[in-house]
Amino acid sequence: MSSTAVLGCIFGDEAKAKIVDVLAADADIIVRFQGGSNAGHTIQFENKKFVMHLIPSGIFHEHKVCILGSGVVLDPEQLEKEMEALQANGVSFENRFFIDERTSLVLPIHKEIDAWMEELKEDDNIGTTKRGIGPCYSDSISRIGLRMCDLDNKEYIVKKLNYLYKYHKISESQENLKALSERYFQFGNRMKKYMMNIPYYLDKAYRENKEILFEGAQGTLLDIYFGTYPFVTSSHTVSGGISVASGYAPNRIDLLVGVYKSYFTRVGSGPFPTEQINSVGDQIRKQGNEFGSTTGRPRRCGWFDAVAAKFSAMINGIDSIALTLLDVLSGVNELYICDHYEINGKAIYEFPADQRLLAQAKPVYIKLEGWTEDISDCKSWDELPERAKDYVRKIEVIMDIPINILSVGPNRDQTIFLIQEDE
Ligand code: GDP
Ligand code: IMO
Ligand code: MG
């Protein structure tokens, strides 16, 4: 029996979904606990590729239970679209997919506000995914949001919608609000069989020695408190957020797996000290096919930033690292790891709280030689070229955390498990 969490430790898109899909083979229950359809989680196996925004990445393991926790912001249209697409591919949801009754709903008004806030910010915009995430979380915190358990009564839904629209000073006709209420009431009816008081389900699972796997969305550097605020998402992406967003007690979580890309990427605005706006950045983007899974935007690419990486390991309490997309670095002549920053002429080893300072940070690098061999077929540590091993070892030493998983390609079987000598 154990509970494991898989968390993105940089700016998102670390290949969390791939790692969750691989680890789900040994789990009983997979829980998405935060974020919404801003996430784009890609899974590849048997020449098939799926991008999920809401459904947990354990869904392709037939007999595993998949859960959306209370901290998820759920877009009804997106959820049903995703469910239908998966059902068309033979995936069954019956008796194995559950949603916490407390889960908040993303409404059309949230997407409107998201777009409008971005417009208002002009050049300082966050570059959100425009999925209504921030406004939905704001309404939830303001105690005016609509939740799954509200959907059993049309009058109640209308009442809440009325307040919500008035609060946001957005005028909407009663006719339209009634139509919206009807739509969500029907959605609630269809979802009734999936709704559950999840904390009790997870408690029972814990007592029955079930293996529970928590799937993070986004990444630590996009956390609402610990990320590069305000260029962040609106949820708690860090390990502390798991309990808050699922109702599963923190002392029951046994293992925290941090997913790190072998280099860094970021989508949207905000400081990124090791970003490479040059031919190396372009090479990495091309080799890693670094385009957003949700919005298709080109991802900004840069070197592994050990200051940021160690900060995220620290606040999450990462026990074990999954280092992903190592194959993408094949053919990059020289590799760099940022050891510390220089800010206003001073050597800085701490990740600054103020993103304006981070924006001035000049990375000070350690240089390593790259390798040329294609490593995407390597099945073991021994098969890797010496220089690839050196790169991985260097990151492990800097992080002072064991790297137990190496990912060398998008497919399930392109995964190398590393057992540490003292284990
Ligand atoms: P997530 O949001 O953290 O789940 O990551 P995304 O799915 O947004 O982005 C990761 C991308 O890298 C996806 O297109 C994956 O199919 C792909 N991928 C995952 N692991 C590897 C890997 O080891 N090598 C390569 N080349 N691609 C990978
Ligand atoms: P996964 O789970 C990468 C980024 C957006 C934007 C900022 C705020 O696939 O790793 P939001 O729409 O959340 O208000 O946008 O956060 N962002 C992500 N970047 N991966 C994600 O999810 C992201 N989800 C949000 O680009 O900069
Ligand atoms: Mg993604």
Side-chain angles (χ1 to χ4, degrees):
M1 177 277 303
S2 72
S3 300
T4 301
V6 174
L7 300 170
C9 284
I10 61 168
F11 292 110
D13 302 329
E14 301 87 347
K16 298 173 288 292
K18 174 194 162 160
I19 301 301
V20 168
D21 173 59
V22 168
L23 297 181
D26 296 321
D28 298 299
I29 301 168
I30 299 89
V31 187
R32 245 303 284 279
F33 56 93
Q34 45 73 229
S37 42
N38 49 349
H41 290 182
T42 317
I43 296 179
Q44 269 184 241
F45 59 95
E46 294 160 8
N47 294 323
K48 283 182 274 190
K49 178 174 169 175
F50 297 93
V51 180
M52 255 100 63
H53 303 285
L54 280 167
I55 309 276
S57 298
I59 200 72
F60 295 103
H61 295 269
E62 219 177 315
H63 302 293
K64 319 286 179 180
V65 170
C66 287
I67 286 176
L68 296 181
S70 58
V72 167
V73 285
L74 190 155
D75 179 338
E77 282 78 27
Q78 178 63 44
L79 179 70
E80 292 203 293
K81 206 167 100 186
E82 225 167 285
M83 287 176 77
E84 279 161 23
L86 290 172
Q87 278 159 340
N89 276 283
V91 172
S92 165
F93 287 81
E94 301 314 301
N95 301 317
R96 60 174 293 241
F97 174 65
F98 302 110
I99 307 168
D100 196 313
E101 295 163 337
R102 299 166 182 80
T103 304
S104 295
L105 296 181
V106 178
L107 308 174
I109 191 175
H110 294 134
K111 292 183 209 169
E112 277 171 46
I113 297 171
D114 195 352
W116 170 70
M117 284 176 79
E118 285 284 270
E119 213 178 294
L120 214 63
K121 286 191 179 128
E122 297 179 348
D123 290 347
D124 294 328
N125 69 60
I126 297 168
T128 73
T129 59
K130 302 219 173 76
R131 298 298 191 270
I133 305 300
C136 181
Y137 276 116
S138 300
D139 280 353
S140 167
I141 298 296
S142 300
R143 300 162 293 189
I144 56 172
L146 197 64
R147 308 198 301 171
M148 289 298 284
C149 56
D150 299 333
L151 302 185
D152 62 349
N153 182 310
K154 287 183 210 173
E155 283 70 43
Y156 189 53
I157 304 173
V158 168
K159 193 173 163 201
K160 290 197 87 164
L161 288 177
N162 255 308
Y163 185 84
L164 201 65
Y165 277 78
K166 270 191 202 148
Y167 170 84
H168 287 296
K169 297 193 169 67
I170 295 180
S171 59
E172 190 56 277
S173 69
Q174 279 310 304
E175 199 187 339
N176 283 350
L177 291 185
K178 277 201 177 128
L180 210 54
S181 157
E182 177 67 32
R183 200 162 109 199
Y184 290 124
F185 177 73
Q186 295 302 343
F187 170 72
N189 261 342
R190 292 192 294 278
M191 291 296 126
K192 209 174 256 168
K193 60 182 171 185
Y194 303 120
M195 280 201 251
M196 205 185 255
N197 199 345
I198 292 297
Y200 288 98
Y201 184 87
L202 292 179
D203 178 63
K204 187 163 172 280
Y206 170 79
R207 291 172 194 284
E208 288 172 354
N209 292 329
K210 295 275 187 348
E211 301 271 341
I212 306 174
L213 188 59
F214 290 92
E215 173 179 6
Q218 290 78 52
T220 300
L221 306 177
L222 292 175
D223 180 87
I224 183 70
Y225 290 161
F226 297 102
T228 54
Y229 190 93
F231 301 102
V232 292
T233 191
S234 295
S235 66
H236 300 286
T237 61
V238 296
S239 58
I242 301 171
S243 300
V244 173
S246 67
Y248 191 72
N251 60 347
R252 292 178 172 182
I253 301 167
D254 305 293
L255 183 72
L256 295 161
V257 176
V259 188
Y260 289 87
K261 254 183 198 173
S262 301
Y263 48 92
F264 269 38
T265 61
R266 174 166 205 167
V267 202
S269 326
F272 180 1
T274 60
E275 182 173 15
Q276 297 300 299
I277 309 175
N278 52 33
S279 58
V280 176
D282 293 344
Q283 184 183 1
I284 293 175
R285 185 175 309 105
K286 187 159 177 249
Q287 293 181 186
N289 190 26
E290 292 293 359
F291 294 89
S293 320
T294 298
T295 57
R297 291 178 287 179
R299 292 177 183 146
R300 302 158 64 191
C301 298
W303 300 121
F304 191 92
D305 178 347
V307 181
K310 283 199 274 192
F311 171 71
S312 73
M314 174 180 79
I315 59 174
N316 287 307
I318 295 302
D319 300 303
S320 170
I321 290 177
L323 191 67
T324 58
L325 293 105
L326 187 65
D327 54 301
V328 172
L329 294 180
S330 289
V332 180
N333 290 342
E334 289 169 349
L335 303 173
Y336 293 87
I337 296 172
C338 168
D339 175 69
H340 62 277
Y341 305 138
E342 213 179 86
I343 305 178
N344 297 326
K346 273 199 199 138
I348 301 292
Y349 290 83
E350 293 186 359
F351 193 68
D354 185 343
Q355 60 85 21
R356 290 171 304 173
L357 276 184
L358 188 65
Q360 293 171 38
K362 292 193 183 71
V364 179
Y365 289 114
I366 300 165
K367 183 176 135 187
L368 287 93
E369 295 302 320
W371 62 93
T372 52
E373 299 88 334
D374 177 0
I375 60 168
S376 56
D377 286 329
C378 290
K379 299 281 176 246
S380 69
W381 174 255
D382 292 340
E383 289 175 45
L384 290 172
E386 263 328 296
R387 285 176 176 177
K389 287 182 186 168
D390 288 345
Y391 185 72
V392 175
R393 280 196 203 103
K394 189 76 191 172
I395 290 180
E396 188 167 50
V397 168
I398 291 174
M399 296 298 289
D400 198 20
I401 297 169
I403 297 176
N404 294 115
I405 299 176
L406 280 183
S407 178
V408 292
N411 283 296
R412 269 181 194 164
D413 56 5
Q414 291 174 300
T415 312
I416 301 173
F417 287 90
L418 305 175
I419 310 295
Q420 302 295 315
E421 274 157 22
D422 56 349
E423 284 176 33

